[in-house]
Amino acid sequence: MLLSLTVKNFAIIDNMNIDFSNGMTVLTGETGAGKSLIIDAISLLFGDRASNDLVRYGENKAVIEGVFSDYSNKVLDILKQYDINEDDILVIKREIYQNGKSIAKVNGETINLTVLDLLSNELGDIHTQFDVVKLVNPKNYFTFIDNHEINQLLISYKQSLNEYRNVLNQYNDKLKQENLNNQKLEFLKYQINELKKAKLDPNEEEILKKELNIINNYEKISSNYNDFIDSFDQNDILKNLYEALNSLKKNSEYSNLDKLIQRLENSYYDLDDIYQEITKISHSIDYNPNELDEKNERLSVYSSLKRKYKMSTIELINYLENITNEIDEIENYDFYINELRKKLDLSYNNTLEIAKKISRIRKIQADNLKNSLINVFPELSLKNTTMEIVIKETENFYSNGINEIDFLISFNKGEPLKPLNKIASGGELSRFMLAIKSISCLKDLQKTFIFDEIDSGVSGEVAFSIGLKISDISKNNQVICVTHLPQVASVATEHLNISKKIIDENRTITSIKKLSEEEKIESIALMISNGKITDASIALAKEFLNNK
């Protein structure tokens, strides 16, 4: 449950602290006083995206902090999963800066909105009057039917559907190719012959360039080798080094020269080896004009093909492999189209099998929901209401299965069932949605449920029935309710009044007050009498409170 809410510099809220209790708490006050701002603040704690427009004028940032307790084990599991500090209380904090920056923290640790959204799903739910719009489009009805089992199956279904669509595209592309195959085959054969004849190698081009560089610089290379050999021969380098070595050896009996002699001896043999190797290399190089022409001609093959196909050498080699496979597919078209057909059928059947399983569970869920709603309707002054939830199987694969859904309903005895979105009034839609919410609340215990003016468009006995149903929900969950109806306000366990006033002659602030029993009577009387308390409205307010 939500223990407390602190809101600072948020729109017209300067600094507000609210303590909440278990059961049903109503927020009342004149239009524009800031009731919805409190709901907006809680929405931010539940993961809504922040806007810097909500930062109070003249301030740098807005701060919203909520303290929760008695939350479910699922919340603890999320805290453990994301290494967030665990405690008896859960503190969620949002900071919204004027520059557009927004920070979310849980128990002092910064988190992203994805994690906050996971937590909020387990902490509570906010239902506004605009949620009724969901009932206008039957596609939204699946959200009332689909349970965890269906949602898990939908993951597999979407994967299978994606695979099926990919194979279907391949199959259709292959069918379209059939008429073009003969013409294309001749062209591909021409290309494959040209590329095979070229005998392309990924390394040959670089090797040819290096070899051509040597041939083109033959005289310079040969001259350098000869200069090297002449330097050795004319200066008797090896002979002189050998004589120097012998001279040093003669002194070895007088000094410890073994290591130096060994080093010099190794150098002598190394130099001799290098001299012999360079001499062999020098004799091996030869200038052949025909070889130059051959290598240039071979390089031109690469250049010509790269220019013609607008590809690199590697791309040409890969292209050759691709068109080889393509020719194989064209020449063996019947085989490949049959293989694709088998793959398509298998993929289709797999997808259909999952979709059928989802459909079977949906029909069971729909029947359960219908029976639950029929039991709840009388409590919301919908005594003569009958309904059916129609789950139709189609031949189409939709993103969420093969089903189409509709709520068929009759609010009046003797009238035929018709689509809910065609015949329901605003008040009937509000009560229908509340009936659905009341059923879901029975499954979700230890949560905070927030109802923001869901009683709009109703009055009298119907308003009482809505208030009693919300009060009934609060027996197992914390409920916070924004209302303009005295009938709803009168059944609450706690009553908070929101008001606004001008300070310093130029700033508006919102304040909140927990009402005493006497103040509850006055507030409800004010709501009854349209802004002016009378003896009659006081008497009626007391009657409302005594009948809760």
Side-chain angles (χ1 to χ4, degrees):
M1 62 174 280
L2 178 61
L3 285 178
S4 66
L5 177 70
T6 301
V7 184
K8 295 180 180 179
N9 301 325
F10 188 67
I12 60 172
I13 299 177
D14 177 32
N15 190 345
M16 179 182 289
N17 294 288
I18 312 172
D19 292 324
F20 292 100
S21 61
N22 212 339
M24 177 180 173
T25 299
V26 291
L27 305 179
T28 64
E30 63 184 72
T31 301
K35 300 184 298 299
S36 291
L37 283 176
I38 294 172
I39 305 303
D40 291 340
I42 298 174
S43 297
L44 287 169
L45 297 181
F46 282 2
D48 273 12
R49 297 206 168 270
S51 168
N52 61 349
D53 291 334
L54 293 171
V55 179
R56 184 170 170 79
Y57 175 72
E59 300 294 339
N60 178 49
K61 69 174 180 178
V63 178
I64 297 98
E65 183 175 280
V67 180
F68 295 83
S69 69
D70 300 324
Y71 41 79
S72 69
N73 289 330
K74 290 181 180 179
V75 173
L76 286 173
D77 292 339
I78 296 170
L79 295 178
K80 289 177 182 177
Q81 181 181 351
Y82 291 94
D83 295 323
I84 300 171
N85 295 327
E86 300 172 37
D87 204 341
D88 291 336
I89 61 171
L90 182 74
V91 181
I92 300 177
K93 187 176 184 179
R94 293 292 300 272
E95 296 178 356
I96 308 156
Y97 289 83
Q98 193 66 258
N99 61 9
K101 183 181 177 183
S102 173
I103 297 174
K105 293 182 179 181
V106 172
N107 288 351
E109 297 187 27
T110 302
I111 62 167
N112 58 41
L113 292 186
T114 301
V115 178
L116 188 54
D117 187 56
L118 289 173
L119 285 169
S120 69
N121 287 336
E122 303 304 327
L123 289 172
D125 178 63
I126 297 177
H127 176 51
T128 73
Q129 56 184 310
F130 303 109
D131 287 345
V132 175
V133 176
K134 293 179 181 178
L135 296 175
V136 174
N137 187 348
K139 290 182 180 179
N140 295 321
Y141 298 170
F142 289 108
T143 60
F144 309 131
I145 299 293
D146 291 354
N147 59 6
H148 178 73
E149 183 181 6
I150 291 175
N151 289 333
Q152 291 300 113
L153 284 170
L154 281 172
I155 296 173
S156 301
Y157 168 78
K158 288 175 182 178
Q159 292 173 344
S160 182
L161 178 61
N162 187 52
E163 180 184 344
Y164 166 70
R165 286 174 173 169
N166 287 336
V167 177
L168 180 62
N169 289 335
Q170 293 176 32
Y171 181 77
N172 288 333
D173 287 344
K174 184 65 68 177
L175 289 176
K176 292 175 186 176
Q177 290 173 4
E178 185 176 15
N179 295 329
L180 301 173
N181 280 348
N182 291 333
Q183 181 179 353
K184 189 175 183 180
L185 184 61
E186 295 303 317
F187 178 66
L188 290 177
K189 283 184 175 180
Y190 166 78
Q191 287 187 322
I192 203 171
N193 288 333
E194 183 178 44
L195 292 172
K196 279 186 174 180
K197 184 179 179 182
K199 296 181 180 178
L200 302 178
D201 183 282
N203 302 315
E204 183 185 19
E205 195 173 9
E206 285 303 312
I207 294 172
L208 286 170
K209 288 178 180 178
K210 289 180 181 179
E211 290 176 345
L212 278 172
N213 188 44
I214 293 173
I215 294 173
N216 289 328
N217 292 280
Y218 169 77
E219 291 184 1
K220 186 189 295 184
I221 296 169
S222 180
S223 176
N224 291 335
Y225 281 140
N226 289 333
D227 289 346
F228 175 89
I229 294 169
D230 289 345
S231 294
F232 267 75
D233 291 346
Q234 291 174 8
N235 296 300
D236 290 329
I237 289 176
L238 289 173
K239 178 183 176 183
N240 290 334
L241 184 60
Y242 184 77
E243 291 176 353
L245 177 62
N246 285 332
S247 296
L248 195 60
K249 284 180 178 180
K250 292 175 183 178
N251 280 345
S252 62
E253 61 180 296
Y254 307 110
S255 303
N256 186 11
L257 300 173
D258 291 349
K259 289 184 179 180
L260 292 174
I261 291 170
Q262 184 63 49
R263 285 170 60 190
L264 187 59
E265 195 168 31
N266 289 340
S267 298
Y268 170 79
Y269 288 116
D270 284 343
L271 281 174
D272 183 53
D273 186 58
I274 291 169
Y275 174 79
Q276 299 300 331
E277 287 292 324
I278 295 299
T279 301
K280 287 180 182 178
I281 293 172
S282 174
H283 292 158
S284 67
I285 61 172
D286 187 27
Y287 178 75
N288 186 342
N290 293 332
E291 188 178 357
L292 177 65
D293 293 339
E294 288 173 3
K295 294 186 186 300
N296 276 323
E297 185 177 339
R298 183 61 183 159
L299 265 181
S300 69
V301 171
Y302 281 90
S303 300
S304 176
L305 289 174
K306 287 196 294 184
R307 187 168 54 252
K308 179 178 180 179
Y309 287 87
K310 293 182 173 58
M311 297 180 188
S312 65
T313 300
I314 294 296
E315 289 172 336
L316 284 169
I317 293 171
N318 290 336
Y319 180 65
L320 174 60
E321 182 180 354
N322 291 338
I323 61 175
T324 301
N325 293 333
E326 191 171 354
I327 287 174
D328 177 62
E329 289 184 14
I330 292 173
E331 291 179 336
N332 297 281
Y333 174 82
D334 290 340
F335 170 78
Y336 285 106
I337 199 69
N338 287 334
E339 287 298 304
L340 270 177
R341 181 72 244 185
K342 291 176 186 176
K343 190 175 179 181
L344 183 63
D345 290 342
L346 179 62
S347 182
Y348 174 86
N349 290 330
N350 287 340
T351 308
L352 184 61
E353 182 180 353
I354 301 171
K356 289 277 189 182
K357 188 172 182 180
I358 291 171
S359 183
R360 287 193 297 272
I361 300 172
R362 275 181 175 155
K363 289 175 181 179
I364 296 171
Q365 286 293 108
D367 196 49
N368 292 336
L369 177 61
K370 180 199 74 172
N371 292 333
S372 297
L373 285 171
I374 288 174
N375 289 331
V376 172
F377 285 153
E379 300 172 17
L380 292 167
S381 298
L382 296 170
K383 295 178 182 177
N384 296 316
T385 300
T386 56
M387 75 169 296
E388 288 292 338
I389 299 177
V390 178
I391 303 286
K392 178 184 175 184
E393 289 187 3
T394 71
E395 295 182 356
N396 301 318
F397 284 140
Y398 300 117
S399 61
N400 65 344
I402 56 173
N403 297 125
E404 291 178 355
I405 186 172
D406 206 353
F407 289 170
L408 301 182
I409 197 161
S410 170
F411 292 106
N412 300 295
K413 198 168 186 177
E415 291 297 314
L417 296 173
K418 293 182 180 180
L420 173 70
N421 63 334
K422 302 292 185 184
I423 65 167
S425 66
E428 287 167 339
L429 287 175
S430 294
R431 283 177 284 165
F432 189 93
M433 180 61 87
L434 180 56
I436 288 177
K437 285 289 180 180
S438 69
I439 293 167
S440 66
C441 290
L442 294 174
K443 303 173 185 174
D444 297 322
L445 302 180
Q446 293 179 280
K447 283 189 177 183
T448 298
F449 289 92
I450 297 165
F451 297 99
D452 184 11
E453 298 188 29
I454 66 161
D455 48 21
S456 60
V458 298
S459 60
E461 180 188 353
V462 173
F464 261 123
S465 67
I466 288 178
L468 290 172
K469 177 46 68 176
I470 295 174
S471 177
D472 189 48
I473 294 171
S474 71
K475 292 176 183 177
N476 297 303
N477 295 280
Q478 182 188 39
V479 171
I480 299 170
C481 178
V482 176
T483 184
H484 287 288
L485 296 180
Q487 294 94 330
V488 175
S490 67
V491 299
T493 51
E494 294 284 352
H495 191 150
L496 303 178
N497 185 257
I498 317 297
S499 61
K500 65 179 179 180
K501 62 182 178 180
I502 298 174
I503 60 170
D504 301 330
E505 297 184 354
N506 63 354
R507 293 307 302 271
T508 301
I509 63 168
T510 290
S511 60
I512 188 166
K513 183 180 181 182
K514 180 179 177 181
L515 301 186
S516 65
E517 290 301 316
E518 192 63 33
E519 288 169 331
K520 285 182 185 179
I521 295 171
E522 293 178 0
S523 178
I524 293 171
L526 198 65
M527 297 166 74
I528 293 171
S529 60
N530 222 1
K532 185 178 180 180
I533 298 177
T534 64
D535 291 340
S537 64
I538 289 287
L540 190 54
K542 289 179 179 179
E543 184 181 341
F544 281 1
L545 287 165
N546 290 332
N547 289 335
K548 68 178 180 180

